[in-house]
Amino acid sequence: MDDYNGVVIEKQALPDSETEFVVQFNDMLSDVKAQGKQLVWFTLSIKQAAFIHLATQAGFVFHNCLEDEITLILRIQKEAYAPFVPTHSIGAGALIFNQQQQILVIREKLASNPGFKLPGGHIELGEKISEAIVREVFEETGVHSEFVGLQGFGSKKSFRFGKSNIYFLCRLNALSEQINIQDIDEIAEAKWCDVSEFVNDQYTSVFVSEIVKTLQHQQGFELVELPENNSPYKKHEVYFAGDIRKHLT
Amino acid sequence: MDDYNGVVIEKQALPDSETEFVVQFNDMLSDVKAQGKQLVWFTLSIKQAAFIHLATQAGFVFHNCLEDEITLILRIQKEAYAPFVPTHSIGAGALIFNQQQQILVIREKLASNPGFKLPGGHIELGEKISEAIVREVFEETGVHSEFVGLQGFGSKKSFRFGKSNIYFLCRLNALSEQINIQDIDEIAEAKWCDVSEFVNDQYTSVFVSEIVKTLQHQQGFELVELPENNSPYKKHEVYFAGDIRKHLT
């Protein structure tokens, strides 16, 4: 039983052979329907992949997956509310300046655009934005930095596989200026560059140019640690607008 | 061929029978390895689910899925970089006040906590945050509103199925005050409430109470339409910190 008037089948409860699976599965579905449940969902390990097509033949659809397991779902009532499906990947880009107010930019080896772009990359599953961007900047440029705040983001629909992407713009302080690319497979070049040169370069994406011009002097969301963020529902990261420190005692 | 020194197998190129699939699949893998490729990935429709376990037996792992298709991936070189996997679901909560500066709150029928909470819910795949939250507020309370901006967010690791969740706090203006719950299956009660009463109520989550106290007077990210956001890479929504209008002409 779950929170959605549904039924969860435990992996351990599943039989070993396909024949047994079909029998038990059909019995279970009859029971569930008789009970007036709205949905059934279960997760198979990748080793149980042979059962997937038996479930899809019974009307189950894919719900979500990790590398080594997949969750399938059957809506018995068409309008049944099912738990969310992950819809977004998250990326981050860095706005990072040195003492001379030059901006740090990189050029990728495989990019179709020959121009420079902001350092950054994909946030791995479970990683904090504020830590991922410091890591990415170091890998791509060798520059050490500290996270200051978020200054904006853009979302993109249908980024890949029908899912969306959010790209957070992070403000960082440079703690060192020496360029020393770590990820030499991906990054062709990194440099400190006058802002006017970067935003006016013919190969700089107009969107990135707009971002830099607009956000270089803005204050955004700060990373905050709320005193009461310590329950079982503890948030991984909390970002709030404005100067919130005056509100927290 | 793809951007990652990998190979994409087209769905249409796959045979109909499992026997043919195994033969062609093994030939293809030998070719790919001989070519020094780093990874192979392909997407099966749910009707081709019988091929999934043949691929997993050959070392493929699940990558991501929609309801009716799944993408599998094989890293030929262990360190091969594969395209991102969706990691996050997105939700939104509303900070919405009426003329008397009362806050709009709801109580859910099935919630384990008997207290009130902020209206809001899950952002559907492809939906805009700014539109989803107006929809959710209307469904849960009958109140019409307009989106003002984002005031913060929290992320949560391991929300469900090992994936994460981001919960955006939206500021809305009420355009009507009449309570008229549309989603009577989910929502037990909705009301306008003095902020002090809500944040001090014993059943209000301490975290939500902190959010409301901290953010009720803050200005956050604004929804902006950048003039150059019209390429094939057009962003779905763009949020920027501060009063950005003075920068856009």
Side-chain angles (χ1 to χ4, degrees):
Chain A
M1 256 284 277
D2 65 0
D3 295 341
Y4 307 96
N5 190 26
V7 173
V8 182
I9 306 168
E10 299 296 334
K11 232 181 312 203
Q12 299 80 346
L14 294 170
D16 293 328
S17 82
E18 294 193 32
T19 324
E20 281 178 71
F21 182 88
V22 171
V23 174
Q24 290 192 23
F25 205 65
N26 288 335
D27 286 352
M28 181 276 300
L29 286 185
S30 306
D31 280 357
V32 165
K33 285 174 189 169
Q35 289 166 36
K37 294 295 178 189
Q38 300 200 344
L39 60 90
V40 185
W41 42 309
F42 70 109
T43 299
L44 293 171
S45 88
I46 194 164
K47 291 177 186 157
Q48 298 168 312
F51 297 156
I52 296 173
H53 74 113
L54 304 175
T56 60
Q57 280 164 11
F60 279 77
V61 293
F62 306 131
H63 185 272
N64 77 88
C65 63
L66 294 173
E67 283 207 347
D68 57 357
E69 63 176 48
I70 182 165
T71 299
L72 294 112
I73 193 162
L74 174 68
R75 286 186 184 79
I76 295 170
Q77 293 174 26
K78 207 179 167 190
E79 297 297 307
Y81 178 78
F84 84 90
V85 178
T87 48
H88 286 69
S89 62
I90 308 289
L95 294 161
I96 173 168
F97 301 88
N98 66 8
Q99 300 278 344
Q100 293 77 47
Q101 295 309 306
Q102 292 174 305
I103 190 166
L104 184 60
V105 295
I106 56 121
R107 193 164 57 76
E108 291 173 335
K109 281 193 171 162
L110 290 171
S112 49
N113 182 331
F116 284 84
K117 47 182 275 191
L118 301 176
H122 181 237
I123 313 295
E124 301 295 335
L125 182 60
E127 197 178 24
K128 295 183 182 185
I129 301 164
S130 52
E131 293 172 358
I133 190 62
V134 168
R135 171 182 62 72
E136 293 276 3
V137 165
F138 180 73
E139 288 171 5
E140 294 183 353
T141 68
V143 170
H144 295 277
S145 64
E146 63 183 359
F147 182 84
V148 178
L150 287 179
Q151 293 187 282
F153 69 91
S155 73
K156 203 151 62 177
K157 272 207 300 197
S158 298
F159 181 57
R160 280 206 191 94
F161 313 116
K163 305 293 177 79
S164 301
N165 178 262
I166 290 182
Y167 175 74
F168 285 103
L169 292 150
C170 302
R171 181 65 173 261
L172 304 179
N173 274 338
L175 299 176
S176 68
E177 299 204 3
Q178 178 77 43
I179 303 285
N180 180 17
I181 299 168
Q182 310 293 307
D183 184 359
I184 53 176
D185 291 339
E186 305 283 336
I187 306 298
E189 192 179 351
K191 66 175 182 181
W192 294 101
C193 178
D194 288 339
V195 172
S196 60
E197 183 189 329
F198 179 54
V199 300
N200 294 321
D201 188 284
Q202 62 170 317
Y203 293 119
T204 298
S205 127
V206 183
F207 188 74
V208 169
S209 172
E210 289 283 344
I211 286 171
V212 173
K213 280 190 283 184
T214 308
L215 292 180
Q216 61 177 316
H217 302 300
Q218 294 297 321
Q219 191 194 3
F221 286 0
E222 294 175 25
L223 187 58
V224 298
E225 194 56 67
L226 292 178
E228 296 298 340
N229 184 24
N230 54 13
S231 76
Y233 305 105
K234 180 175 166 56
K235 297 284 189 295
H236 188 45
E237 282 189 305
V238 177
Y239 289 94
F240 275 2
D243 179 10
I244 57 92
R245 278 163 297 199
K246 66 188 172 200
H247 297 283
L248 300 174
T249 50
Chain B
M1 256 283 279
D2 65 1
D3 294 340
Y4 307 96
N5 190 25
V7 173
V8 182
I9 307 168
E10 299 296 334
K11 235 182 309 207
Q12 299 80 347
L14 294 170
D16 293 328
S17 81
E18 295 193 31
T19 325
E20 280 178 72
F21 182 88
V22 171
V23 174
Q24 289 194 23
F25 205 66
N26 287 335
D27 286 352
M28 181 275 301
L29 287 185
S30 306
D31 279 358
V32 164
K33 285 174 189 171
Q35 287 166 38
K37 294 296 177 188
Q38 300 202 341
L39 59 91
V40 185
W41 43 307
F42 70 107
T43 298
L44 293 171
S45 88
I46 195 164
K47 291 175 184 156
Q48 298 169 312
F51 297 156
I52 296 172
H53 74 113
L54 304 175
T56 60
Q57 279 163 11
F60 278 76
V61 293
F62 305 132
H63 185 272
N64 76 89
C65 62
L66 294 173
E67 283 206 348
D68 58 357
E69 63 177 49
I70 182 164
T71 299
L72 293 113
I73 192 163
L74 174 68
R75 286 186 184 81
I76 294 171
Q77 293 173 23
K78 207 179 169 191
E79 297 297 306
Y81 179 77
F84 85 90
V85 178
T87 48
H88 285 69
S89 62
I90 309 288
L95 293 161
I96 173 168
F97 300 88
N98 67 8
Q99 300 279 343
Q100 294 76 47
Q101 295 309 305
Q102 292 173 304
I103 190 165
L104 183 60
V105 295
I106 56 121
R107 194 163 57 75
E108 291 173 337
K109 281 194 173 162
L110 289 172
S112 49
N113 182 330
F116 285 84
K117 48 183 272 189
L118 302 176
H122 182 234
I123 313 296
E124 301 294 335
L125 183 61
E127 196 177 26
K128 294 182 181 185
I129 301 165
S130 52
E131 292 172 0
I133 190 64
V134 168
R135 171 182 63 70
E136 292 276 3
V137 165
F138 179 73
E139 288 171 6
E140 295 183 352
T141 69
V143 170
H144 295 276
S145 64
E146 63 182 0
F147 181 83
V148 178
L150 287 179
Q151 294 187 282
F153 69 91
S155 73
K156 204 151 58 178
K157 272 207 300 195
S158 298
F159 182 56
R160 280 203 190 97
F161 313 117
K163 304 293 177 81
S164 302
N165 178 263
I166 289 181
Y167 175 74
F168 284 105
L169 293 150
C170 302
R171 182 62 173 260
L172 305 179
N173 275 338
L175 299 175
S176 69
E177 298 203 4
Q178 180 76 45
I179 302 286
N180 180 17
I181 298 167
Q182 310 294 305
D183 183 0
I184 53 176
D185 290 339
E186 304 283 337
I187 306 297
E189 193 179 349
K191 66 175 183 181
W192 294 102
C193 178
D194 289 339
V195 171
S196 60
E197 184 190 328
F198 179 55
V199 300
N200 294 321
D201 188 283
Q202 60 170 318
Y203 293 119
T204 299
S205 127
V206 183
F207 187 73
V208 169
S209 172
E210 289 281 344
I211 287 171
V212 173
K213 281 190 283 184
T214 308
L215 291 180
Q216 62 178 314
H217 302 301
Q218 294 297 322
Q219 192 194 0
F221 286 0
E222 294 175 23
L223 188 58
V224 298
E225 194 57 67
L226 292 179
E228 296 297 341
N229 185 23
N230 55 12
S231 74
Y233 306 104
K234 179 175 166 57
K235 297 284 188 297
H236 188 45
E237 283 189 305
V238 177
Y239 290 93
F240 274 2
D243 180 8
I244 58 94
R245 278 163 299 199
K246 65 187 171 198
H247 297 282
L248 301 175
T249 49

